[in-house]
Amino acid sequence: MVLGVTGGIGAYKACELARELMRRGMRVKTVMTAAAQRFVTPLTFRTLTGEPVAVSLWDDPTQRVHHVSLAQEADVVVVAPCTANVIAKVACGRADDLLTTTLLATEAPIVVAPAMNTHMWLREVTQANVALLRDRGAVFVEPGSGELACGDVGEGRLAEVSAIADAVELEARRVASLAGVRVLVTAGPTREPIDAVRFIGNRSSGRQGYAIAEEAARRGATVTLVSGPTSLPDPFGVTTVRVGTAAEMLEAAEAAFGVADLVVAAAAVADFRPVSTAAGKLKKADAPSTVELERTVDILATLGARKDGRVLVGFAAEAGDPVAAAREKLSAKNLDLVVANDVTEPGAGFESSTNHVTLVTAEGDEALPMMDKRSVARAVLDRARTIMEGGTR
Ligand code: CTP
């Protein structure tokens, strides 16, 4: 673990946190900001952790570049206590000291335990920065309420050491939870051409599927993402195969299915396509008054019929209560988990950065709160992992 300590009175509790993480079997390397060293000394952490403590970008010219090496070797980066200033810097991508460069450079999950004056914590700009970082996947351990060092009473006190250690441990477990697992994810819409320039499509942004692919890769899986047309960049560390139509998506998914252990079908595949595609661009004058449609192949059901011990996860996007429909899909497509959501609800489903889903399995339903799509990705993969552990494959 890389433990970042910033300049707040809670810095003394970071010493306890370092000990607690070590007690739980983790190796801890500490990075301190200049302000943190006003409260606690590097010697304290060096003595507690038995590791050198990094305090500057310019520490030792003979060593490997710190901000890169720490960022790369970290399984989890935890910042406790984290000031409003460091939250703001990370939110806008500033990197003007060793800790903020490490935070910008790392691919590891980031756990943040804020501690500050209650007014600073509740300030709109701080809350907006927190929301931004959460949206990008940072895990926050909320500050508690009580008497603060400045004499104010309210929210802003560093969370309990055990709660921070729990969050770090959970992330550390997740990091390796899909090591060696091969995952196939479908994402985005498909486009079924009417002619050379027009198509039938849908409003799927692809974000939920991309978040799942990215998170699976972060957890050590080998991931193939078969994506319909989206405006999103290829996720880091993922083999991305771009397709257009449902038929192309089926072909690419089947190719990756053979070696897959886990399949997550998040794509909004068009259920219908035009029976024929006009060559070139149809002129207004020649346009047909109707477009005859036929069903596309159900990719997930096709894979479900050849399941053979794999874990299969589908999505059910419904207008209205989705759980009953999800339950039907669970058995009809031979799935282990269906992620159900009501796409008509504000903040859920298509074109939204958040989602409000219910996880439906044969054992029962679990309604999750409204959360960003990366958090949904985490919850889906946590559950898929549990199913895989109970499975036979
Ligand atoms: N799916 C698929 N191939 C299709 C259609 C859907 O793989 N041709 C997958 C989606 O990726 C998703 C799930 O199946 O995981 C959605 O099921 P579907 O029955 O298509 O849901 P709806 O589109 O809501 O269909 P219905 O109108 O039957 O409820």
Side-chain angles (χ1 to χ4, degrees):
M1 308 299 125
V2 168
L3 168 61
V5 185
T6 74
I9 184 61
Y12 80 92
K13 287 202 203 162
C15 306
E16 284 175 41
L17 177 62
R19 288 194 80 135
E20 180 58 25
L21 295 176
M22 291 178 63
R23 205 173 294 135
R24 297 185 187 203
M26 299 179 230
R27 184 175 162 201
V28 180
K29 290 197 177 183
T30 312
V31 180
M32 301 178 77
T33 63
Q37 294 168 65
R38 299 249 177 178
F39 292 91
V40 205
T41 71
L43 180 64
T44 316
F45 287 101
R46 204 174 74 205
T47 312
L48 287 172
T49 62
E51 299 278 353
V53 173
V55 294
S56 159
L57 277 167
W58 323 108
D59 275 344
D60 182 349
T62 63
Q63 292 298 305
R64 281 179 65 209
V65 189
H66 258 64
H67 65 287
V68 180
S69 61
L70 283 167
Q72 279 174 347
E73 70 183 323
D75 286 324
V76 179
V77 181
V78 50
V79 189
C82 192
T83 59
N85 181 46
V86 170
I87 290 174
K89 283 205 281 188
V90 179
C92 66
R94 285 200 61 182
D96 61 357
D97 62 10
L98 182 60
L99 178 60
T100 46
T101 43
T102 303
L103 287 164
L104 188 60
T106 195
E107 288 291 331
I110 296 173
V111 175
V112 182
M116 65 196 73
N117 165 277
T118 190
H119 300 291
M120 292 169 81
W121 170 246
L122 295 174
R123 191 70 62 208
E124 204 177 16
V125 65
T126 304
Q127 289 301 315
N129 288 334
V130 169
L132 196 67
L133 290 179
R134 257 210 191 103
D135 210 29
R136 295 189 192 136
V139 173
F140 276 79
V141 187
E142 296 280 334
S145 272
E147 195 175 334
L148 304 176
C150 55
D152 278 354
V153 175
E155 245 173 273
R157 208 165 63 171
L158 185 70
E160 293 301 324
V161 165
S162 61
I164 304 169
D166 286 349
V168 175
E169 198 174 359
L170 192 65
E171 291 310 308
R173 287 232 170 89
R174 278 179 173 149
V175 168
S177 65
L178 292 177
V181 175
R182 289 155 302 181
V183 182
L184 162 64
V185 181
T186 68
T190 64
R191 288 179 178 176
E192 310 304 324
I194 296 170
D195 66 11
V197 297
R198 302 178 178 92
F199 58 84
I200 295 176
N202 61 67
R203 299 161 86 109
S204 168
S205 66
R207 271 188 271 187
Q208 185 62 76
Y210 277 57
I212 289 169
E214 213 164 49
E215 180 64 23
R218 194 173 291 127
R219 294 179 184 201
T222 304
V223 186
T224 301
L225 169 66
V226 178
S227 172
T230 71
S231 57
L232 303 171
D234 292 0
F236 180 79
V238 168
T239 304
T240 305
V241 183
R242 302 266 176 183
V243 297
T245 63
E248 289 165 9
M249 187 173 274
L250 173 69
E251 197 184 324
E254 280 184 315
F257 182 70
V259 295
D261 306 300
L262 167 65
V263 178
V264 183
V269 186
D271 290 317
F272 299 95
R273 68 174 176 212
V275 169
S276 60
T277 302
K281 182 185 170 215
L282 284 168
K283 299 296 286 177
K284 270 196 285 298
D286 309 327
S289 57
T290 58
V291 176
E292 200 186 334
L293 301 176
E294 64 186 7
R295 288 293 304 270
T296 55
V297 174
D298 191 316
I299 300 168
L300 187 54
T302 306
L303 303 180
R306 290 188 242 138
K307 188 170 169 178
D308 190 25
R310 294 173 182 84
V311 169
L312 261 54
V313 180
F315 276 69
E318 305 291 329
D321 181 13
V323 173
R327 199 155 284 293
E328 255 165 54
K329 289 190 213 308
L330 194 68
S331 62
K333 301 193 189 191
N334 200 13
L335 308 179
D336 301 279
L337 168 63
V338 175
V339 185
N341 66 344
D342 173 0
V343 285
T344 58
E345 185 191 353
F350 291 179
E351 293 177 323
S352 165
S353 64
T354 53
N355 215 347
H356 190 188
V357 304
T358 301
L359 303 183
V360 179
T361 64
E363 277 73 50
D365 314 336
E366 185 193 355
L368 303 178
M370 177 85 73
M371 46 173 70
D372 61 82
K373 287 185 172 174
R374 196 186 295 230
S375 302
V376 173
R378 289 195 174 123
V380 169
L381 291 174
D382 284 350
R383 182 60 79 88
R385 175 79 246 181
T386 309
I387 296 169
M388 291 178 87
E389 278 162 5
T392 51
R393 194 178 163 93

